[in-house]
Amino acid sequence: MTAIGKTWIGVVAGATLLLAACGGGDPQTSAPSSVRPTIASSAPISVATPSAAPAVVPGGPPSGTSAGGQSNSALASTTPAATARPPELATGTVVLNTVTLSGIPVPGVPVHLSLQQPCDPASNDIPVGETVETLRRDGVTDEQGRAAFVTEIGCYRFGMSAPLGTNPVPEGMHTLFLLTPGGTATGQLRFQDTTPEPAPACAESTIETELGVDPGPAATIPDCDGQWAVIRWDTPGDNQRVITRTAGTWTTYVRFPHDTCWSSASADGVPDRLRAYFNC
């Protein structure tokens, strides 16, 4: 009997403990606690910012990127690097003249200039077969027979293409030497002087203009040597004349009919071939 009592007491005690444990987990039935939890604190921790690269900000541009979205390395690469410029070549002026032997300018002549290297202009010589053309300049002479070129210091050959109707002087290869920076060297290409063709003195138009007659009717000129001539026109009547050219102008010596004797005409210089046009 005593054992059953002890067992019963144990069951009741276990049930009581179980109920106490379940009741303690319900926050609505638990009693408020007056004890606050203690929070452990320590000294603040300092975070060092790396000096090699900026910290990455969430949502911001990636490291090494500028605010505008361009990479710092890209910005650096677009900055032009300072480069040394090559030294500028020293230059001067070459003038080519095209003239006749008497110095009359010949305009409109194609000319050319050819730099020969290797060559020292101070030597005043271009060795034949030892240089090559490294620069060529072309131009045409103006109304003064002149063509100018700004070009580098050096040894030059020059020449021309003679226009049709001209007679260039055969002078072989032409050379010049430009020695001084800012200086001038000249070359000359020459032509033979040509005697201008005189106006055809025996032309009908020349005779009629100088005699001051009507150029309308057709004329016949049976004899003319440029000094004496016979002319007639295809119009009614006797209009034949013996004319002479003095001081560069035709004038009438006699008109037909006339009564000038040959002795007088001969004394005046009328050539013998025109004797048939005179009497007595």
Side-chain angles (χ1 to χ4, degrees):
M1 185 69 179
T2 302
I4 295 173
K6 290 180 180 181
T7 301
W8 175 250
I9 292 171
V11 171
V12 171
T16 302
L17 290 174
L18 179 61
L19 289 175
C22 291
D26 188 355
Q28 294 180 357
T29 58
S30 62
S33 175
S34 60
V35 181
R36 295 182 178 179
T38 301
I39 300 175
S41 62
S42 62
I45 300 173
S46 175
V47 179
T49 302
S51 59
V56 177
V57 179
S63 176
T65 304
S66 67
Q70 187 173 2
S71 171
N72 290 334
S73 61
L75 288 174
S77 65
T78 58
T79 303
T83 57
R85 293 183 178 180
E88 294 184 0
L89 294 174
T91 61
T93 302
V94 170
V95 178
L96 299 183
N97 296 299
T98 51
V99 296
T100 66
L101 291 174
S102 63
I104 300 173
V106 181
V109 179
V111 295
H112 61 267
L113 192 63
S114 172
L115 177 63
Q116 300 291 311
Q117 291 181 336
C119 179
D120 179 8
S123 68
N124 205 39
D125 178 59
I126 302 178
V128 177
E130 298 181 19
T131 63
V132 295
E133 178 184 279
T134 59
L135 175 70
R136 181 185 172 98
R137 300 188 183 278
D138 296 86
V140 178
T141 57
D142 59 17
E143 291 300 317
Q144 286 72 46
R146 180 179 182 274
F149 305 89
V150 175
T151 189
E152 64 188 72
I153 302 301
C155 308
Y156 289 88
R157 298 191 190 279
F158 64 96
M160 64 177 172
S161 299
L164 292 175
T166 61
N167 186 11
V169 176
E171 296 178 310
M173 290 188 296
H174 296 80
T175 60
L176 60 81
F177 303 90
L178 187 59
L179 301 174
T180 309
T184 300
T186 60
Q188 193 172 78
L189 298 159
R190 301 189 299 171
F191 295 83
Q192 301 287 354
D193 284 287
T194 56
T195 303
E197 290 288 335
C202 293
E204 178 182 347
S205 60
T206 302
I207 294 174
E208 290 176 336
T209 298
E210 294 179 3
L211 289 177
V213 299
D214 182 5
T220 300
I221 306 170
D223 194 305
C224 181
D225 64 2
Q227 185 65 39
W228 290 88
V230 176
I231 185 172
R232 58 179 178 266
W233 289 268
D234 297 338
T235 57
D238 192 354
N239 53 41
Q240 185 167 261
R241 304 183 189 187
V242 175
I243 58 177
T244 185
R245 189 173 177 83
T246 58
T249 301
W250 287 107
T251 59
T252 299
Y253 179 69
V254 293
R255 296 171 184 264
F256 289 81
H258 66 83
D259 56 3
T260 303
C261 292
W262 171 246
S263 58
S264 297
S266 179
D268 291 335
V270 178
D272 288 343
R273 72 176 190 276
L274 299 181
R275 183 170 183 172
Y277 293 95
F278 296 88
N279 298 318
C280 56

